[in-house]
Amino acid sequence: MPSMHELMARISVDPDGGRAIKEPATGAVLGYAPVHTKVDLEKAISSARSAQPAWEFLGHAERSRILHRVADRIEEASEALAELLGRENGKPLNGPNARQEVGACVAWLRATADIDLQPEVVRDDGEWRSTVHYRALGVVAAIGPWNFPMMIGIWQIAPALRMGNSVVVKPSEFTPLSVLALIAVMNDELPAGVLTAISGDRELGAGLSEHPDVAKVMFTGSTATGRAIVRSSAANLARLTLELGGNDAGIVLSDADPADIAEGLFWGAFINTGQTCAALKRLYVHEDIYEKTLAALADFAKQAPMGLSMDENSVLGPLQNKKQFDIVAELVEDAKERGGRIVTGGEPATELGELFYPITIVADLADGARLVDEEQFGPALPVIRYSNVDDAIASANRLPAGLGASVWTKDQKLAQYVSDRLEAGTVWINSHAVPHPDVPFGGVKASGYGLEFGVEGLKSLAATRVVSQPIQGTAQGA
Ligand code: NAD
């Protein structure tokens, strides 16, 4: 069981050769991340290319066995990894945070290793047999964000490796150390060159995604960067999975019991202190239960301590970086100027530290307010009153984003009515932001395209090879 300092010793570089990474909760320097160059990028791609064929030819069963061993290593190092993640990202150890994220890495790796993907016979009519085989693509680029750096990293890496690809990872410049440490641990089991990380800024990410030897880009991040990657893919024709920004709506119907659903709504919105792609980002509540829902949410907030990442009592932490803090503060100020009623929070929690913003619930806003229309990606939730469910559905669908959505009701028929009409990649009923490794996940509209997880996720990391043959004694050619 390594300590965090032992992990750091494997990845951190000298101060003069690296970029200082500060802990968002305290401002203390955690370590120094390497700043890789274009030459390093070329080396990483070239070793990924060399290592890939042998990895592919190990076959599914052997790769799955190795991925389970990788999961064992992560489990052994889980406490050290959680501490590093908590310090670097700011997320607390407990609650739906650092320890849970490391646990999810293990769970997704094991589930991905165990998915059965057999060749599919798609024609067998007595004359011909045609079979679809799923083969590796080659070198996959994995480019990730800072909010769940390890878990989203694994979401990209695990299916790519399982399918026999090699992977070059470019972590977010805000949280490189967590990902570098995770990859160092994984590489204790993987053959050399199969999984490499390069650490650097946005330009390095661009260099990786547009590289001619990259067959597929797994990208999770903002819609703006997603568009840049789509443009660069015109040159290398890389396949893309794009998990982009969201602005998930939840619709609470009049029959829901606010006391029963408060916990689900709260964590749906404030998981990872609101810094979650598929978190609830605007909540539409029927006028009959509007005030009760606001009160239940505010009550729940009182029992969810916000504090330092390393404090075992905290379940909410700081914003990860100043840019995100400023976005949240600005959107809340704008909401106040438009007559938004602050039910709880509403001012920075500077007593905790520079980047802390408390759980903030804002009532009496309408569509068009910036806090409703723009992705806040933080602990501020607009709660909008509605009287007609079709109007609420229209409001939910009026924005370009289409990642997740939810409907909250005891009436299964009404839940079906609403979910049939919501424009989102996932609609949760009486829950929100609950992914599972066997259940496909992906956005529609400006939230991106391509699916992760489950069989669909494996297929998206594969090239299909169709093998067709006439059955003996019948047709011989086209
Ligand atoms: P970002 O787009 O700024 O950065 C993501 C990554 O892309 C970073 O590693 C960055 O260095 C790299 N990058 C930047 N420019 C690039 C380019 N031109 N080519 C290639 N790579 C480039 O996103 P972020 O601020 O780290 O993350 C926050 C955003 O991510 C939010 O909008 C959030 O909704 C979204 N997100 C989506 C999901 C999802 O599954 N849909 C999950 C998490 C976060």
Side-chain angles (χ1 to χ4, degrees), residues 72-87:
D72 294 342
R73 291 286 184 148
I74 296 175
E75 263 181 327
E76 279 161 29
S78 58
E79 198 50 28
L81 287 168
E83 181 181 345
L84 175 48
L85 174 63
R87 287 185 185 280

Side-chain angles (χ1 to χ4, degrees), residues 99-139:
R99 288 188 177 119
Q100 198 182 85
E101 181 168 343
V102 177
C105 291
V106 174
W108 251 270
L109 260 171
R110 295 201 191 285
T112 309
D114 288 344
I115 295 168
D116 186 29
L117 180 60
Q118 299 294 334
E120 291 167 23
V121 178
V122 290
R123 181 181 177 191
D124 189 2
D125 54 11
E127 292 187 1
W128 282 79
R129 178 174 297 118
S130 299
T131 311
V132 181
H133 297 259
Y134 296 97
R135 308 292 307 269
L137 288 159
V139 178

Side-chain angles (χ1 to χ4, degrees), residues 11 275 396 454:
I11 54 161
Q275 301 161 104

Side-chain angles (χ1 to χ4, degrees), residues 210-231:
E210 66 199 24
H211 197 284
D213 291 337
V214 164
K216 164 111 195 183
V217 181
M218 297 290 289
F219 175 72
T220 300
S222 64
T223 299
T225 307
R227 289 186 207 283
I229 291 176
V230 171
R231 282 192 292 275

Side-chain angles (χ1 to χ4, degrees), residues 51-384:
Q52 189 272 325
W55 175 244
E56 178 176 7
F57 284 102
L58 283 180
H60 280 293
E62 182 58 14
R63 286 197 302 273
S64 291
R65 268 193 290 278
I66 294 173
L67 290 183
H68 276 293
R69 292 210 302 269
V70 170
D72 294 342
R73 291 286 184 148
I74 296 175
E75 263 181 327
E76 279 161 29
S78 58
E79 198 50 28
L81 287 168
E83 181 181 345
L84 175 48
L85 174 63
R87 287 185 185 280
E88 182 176 50
N89 172 278
K91 64 181 69 190
L93 293 168
N94 293 318
N97 293 297
R99 288 188 177 119
Q100 198 182 85
E101 181 168 343
V102 177
C105 291
V106 174
W108 251 270
L109 260 171
R110 295 201 191 285
T112 309
D114 288 344
I115 295 168
D116 186 29
L117 180 60
Q118 299 294 334
E120 291 167 23
V121 178
V122 290
R123 181 181 177 191
D124 189 2
D125 54 11
E127 292 187 1
W128 282 79
R129 178 174 297 118
S130 299
T131 311
V132 181
H133 297 259
Y134 296 97
R135 308 292 307 269
L137 288 159
V139 178
V140 170
I143 302 178
W146 47 260
N147 60 338
F148 288 90
M150 288 187 184
M151 184 178 75
I152 290 175
I154 289 289
W155 288 358
Q156 300 176 330
I157 295 165
L161 290 182
R162 166 64 204 278
M163 292 311 296
N165 304 287
S166 55
V167 185
V168 179
V169 181
K170 207 304 270 173
S172 165
E173 52 278 27
F174 290 107
T175 51
L177 299 174
S178 305
V179 177
L180 293 175
L182 178 72
I183 288 176
V185 169
M186 295 175 78
N187 273 329
D188 287 339
E189 289 294 340
L190 291 167
V194 160
L195 176 62
T196 317
I198 48 163
S199 148
D201 57 13
R202 309 176 74 82
E203 282 70 43
L204 195 70
L208 174 61
S209 62
E210 66 199 24
H211 197 284
D213 291 337
V214 164
K216 164 111 195 183
V217 181
M218 297 290 289
F219 175 72
T220 300
S222 64
T223 299
T225 307
R227 289 186 207 283
I229 291 176
V230 171
R231 282 192 292 275
S232 71
S233 73
N236 61 0
L237 288 177
R239 296 164 190 225
L240 305 178
T241 291
L242 301 173
E243 298 287 0
L244 308 179
N247 199 341
D248 291 13
I251 301 180
V252 180
L253 303 188
S254 59
D255 71 316
D257 180 344
D260 282 354
I261 62 172
E263 183 171 1
L265 288 176
F266 184 87
W267 286 118
F270 299 117
I271 175 173
N272 200 28
T273 316
Q275 301 161 104
T276 302
C277 52
L280 243 179
K281 291 180 179 141
R282 41 197 179 116
L283 185 61
Y284 294 86
V285 179
H286 191 272
E287 57 188 359
D288 289 355
I289 54 164
Y290 187 72
E291 292 300 334
K292 277 192 178 152
T293 304
L294 289 171
L297 276 171
D299 257 8
F300 196 90
K302 287 188 200 134
Q303 52 174 52
M306 178 175 278
L308 296 182
S309 330
M310 292 302 117
D311 180 340
E312 295 279 351
N313 292 317
S314 310
V315 292
L316 297 159
L319 276 302
Q320 203 281 328
N321 56 70
K322 181 75 166 66
K323 187 174 153 215
Q324 203 57 49
F325 177 91
D326 288 345
I327 291 172
V328 172
E330 193 181 311
L331 293 183
V332 174
E333 285 311 308
D334 182 77
K336 287 186 209 165
E337 280 164 26
R338 289 167 192 261
R341 171 167 46 114
I342 301 293
V343 178
T344 188
E347 292 292 337
T350 38
E351 68 283 5
L352 293 173
E354 202 195 332
L355 296 181
F356 284 87
Y357 205 96
I359 293 298
T360 297
I361 293 166
V362 187
D364 300 343
L365 285 178
D367 285 352
R370 288 185 62 200
L371 184 59
V372 179
D373 284 18
E374 296 177 26
E375 188 186 29
Q376 67 277 54
F377 216 62
L381 179 69
V383 184
I384 305 124

